[in-house]
């Protein structure tokens, strides 16, 4: 005789009790499934508008203070940005058309080890001089020496001159004149004499073809970044506001430095 199938066997009392308990637990705690990776939207940062992306940044996040250096017996006033309290002075000279704020990001790092002075050269930034167009190498060098002497007198600290492009040429000429007795170092950036001289014939065309007016500071910053004048957006947001000024007659911003009127001095820079 064949045994009955297990399906026809009556369950033991213990099994009935366990099944009832399991059913009750399932009702109290329904089964859960792992959430799908696609069940919710990923968190994304808010999209920046053009005006937010290119909004100006305050220099105070990089330099400690700004000052005006009045040259005795003249009406010349040179604007400077300074940072740091100890160590040698890293004296920074910007390129043509820019300003002392070009060195903002560097100053934020350098000031941990040394002092920084970034100067607005004649005809640039917030500096004010009797002759904005006289940007001969002799005059630019004299301006730098006059600012150093006015700031530190006859006992200046150790100075490291740092110059970019036109400012590099000024730094080299100042060093060659041996008028800064405490000069301890010289750094020049992007000063290639042969290349620079060869490009001078195209400079007027380049200056004439660039955008001349900007409705807002944000537009000026954006134009410089998109055009390749500056590749670092943070640097552009700090420095570009110092390269333009507001024109009341045009009700917009224009370039601060009148470089097109200084052509007679260009060859002297190199």
């Amino acid at each position: 005789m064949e045994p009955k199938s297990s399906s026809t066997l009556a369950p033991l009392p213990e099994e009935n009790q366990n099944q009832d308990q399991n059913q009750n637990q399932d009702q109290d705690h329904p089964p859960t499934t792992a959430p799908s990776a696609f069940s919710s939207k990923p968190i994304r940062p808010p999209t920046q508008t053009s005006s937010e992306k290119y909004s100006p940044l305050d220099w105070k996040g990089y330099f400690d203070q700004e000052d005006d250096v009045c040259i005795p017996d003249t009406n010349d006033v040179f604007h400077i940005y300074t940072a740091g309290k100890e160590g040698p002075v890293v004296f920074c000279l910007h390129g043509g058309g820019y300003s002392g704020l070009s060195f903002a990001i560097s100053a934020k790092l350098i000031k941990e080890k040394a002092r920084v002075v970034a100067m607005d050269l004649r005809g640039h930034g917030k500096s004010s001089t009797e002759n904005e167009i006289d940007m001969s190498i002799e005059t630019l060098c004299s301006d730098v020496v006059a600012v150093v002497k006015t700031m530190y007198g006859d006992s200046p600290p150790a100075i490291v001159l740092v110059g970019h492009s036109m400012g590099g040429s000024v730094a080299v000429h100042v060093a060659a004149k041996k008028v800064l007795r405490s000069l301890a170092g010289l750094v020049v950036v992007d000063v290639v004499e042969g290349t620079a001289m060869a490009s001078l014939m195209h400079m007027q065309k380049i200056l004439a073809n660039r955008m001349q007016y900007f409705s807002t500071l944000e537009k000026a910053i954006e134009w410089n970044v998109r055009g390749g004048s500056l590749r670092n957006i943070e640097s552009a947001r700090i420095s570009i506001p110092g390269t333009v000024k507001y024109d009341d007659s045009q009700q917009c911003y224009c370039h601060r430095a009148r470089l097109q009127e200084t052509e007679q001095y260009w060859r002297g820079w190199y």
Side-chain angles (χ1 to χ4, degrees), residues 45-266:
T47 302
Q48 286 184 307
T49 63
S50 179
S51 60
E52 292 172 336
K53 183 177 181 180
Y54 299 107
S55 60
L57 290 175
D58 198 322
W59 60 264
K60 293 178 183 178
Y62 303 85
F63 291 98
D64 296 337
Q65 65 184 64
E66 62 178 348
D67 290 294
D68 286 326
V69 179
C70 302
I71 306 304
D73 303 322
T74 74
N75 293 322
D76 295 343
V77 180
F78 292 97
H79 199 74
I80 61 171
Y81 299 90
T82 59
K85 297 179 180 179
E86 298 179 350
V89 172
V90 179
F91 202 98
C92 303
L93 306 174
H94 60 80
Y98 294 95
S99 75
L101 292 174
S102 297
F103 295 94
I105 295 179
S106 298
K108 189 175 182 178
L109 300 175
I110 295 173
K111 71 179 183 180
E112 298 177 2
K113 300 291 184 179
R115 288 174 284 176
V116 180
V117 176
M119 170 184 171
D120 286 345
L121 294 172
R122 176 180 294 258
H124 292 75
K126 295 182 180 180
S127 290
S128 174
T129 57
E130 292 182 346
N131 189 343
E132 300 276 84
I133 305 301
D134 180 10
M135 288 171 55
S136 64
I137 193 64
E138 292 80 10
T139 297
L140 294 175
C141 288
S142 296
D143 291 342
V144 173
V145 174
V147 168
V148 171
K149 184 174 180 60
T150 303
M151 290 181 66
Y152 303 112
D154 295 327
S155 301
I159 293 177
V160 177
L161 283 178
V162 178
H164 168 242
S165 192
M166 180 191 76
S169 297
V170 176
V172 169
H173 281 82
V174 170
K177 291 178 181 295
K178 299 181 179 180
V179 290
L180 296 182
R181 291 178 297 174
S182 64
L183 184 63
L186 174 66
V187 179
V188 293
V189 182
D190 197 22
V191 180
V192 184
E193 184 173 348
T195 304
M197 292 295 289
S199 66
L200 286 180
M201 67 177 67
H202 306 293
M203 189 57 64
Q204 279 290 5
K205 184 177 180 180
I206 293 172
L207 292 174
N209 289 338
R210 65 179 178 172
M211 187 173 289
Q212 302 296 324
Y213 300 101
F214 309 95
S215 57
T216 64
L217 287 175
E218 288 80 1
K219 291 295 183 183
I221 295 169
E222 182 177 3
W223 179 81
N224 277 275
V225 172
R226 290 185 178 275
S229 298
L230 286 168
R231 299 183 183 276
N232 186 308
I233 295 180
E234 181 184 3
S235 179
R237 293 173 66 190
I238 307 164
S239 64
I240 292 303
T243 69
V244 296
K245 64 177 182 178
Y246 191 76
D247 188 328
D248 291 321
S249 62
Q250 299 288 340
Q251 294 188 334
C252 61
Y253 292 90
C254 62
H255 298 285
R256 161 70 175 94
R258 295 152 59 185
L259 292 179
Q260 288 170 281
E261 301 174 49
T262 65
E263 183 177 5
Q264 59 182 310
Y265 305 116
W266 294 351

Side-chain angles (χ1 to χ4, degrees), residues 7-27:
S7 62
T8 62
L9 295 176
L12 296 173
E14 294 178 353
E15 292 179 349
N16 281 334
Q17 185 178 2
N18 291 337
Q19 288 177 357
D20 292 340
Q21 290 177 350
N22 291 337
Q23 288 177 356
N24 291 334
Q25 289 176 354
D26 291 343
Q27 291 175 358

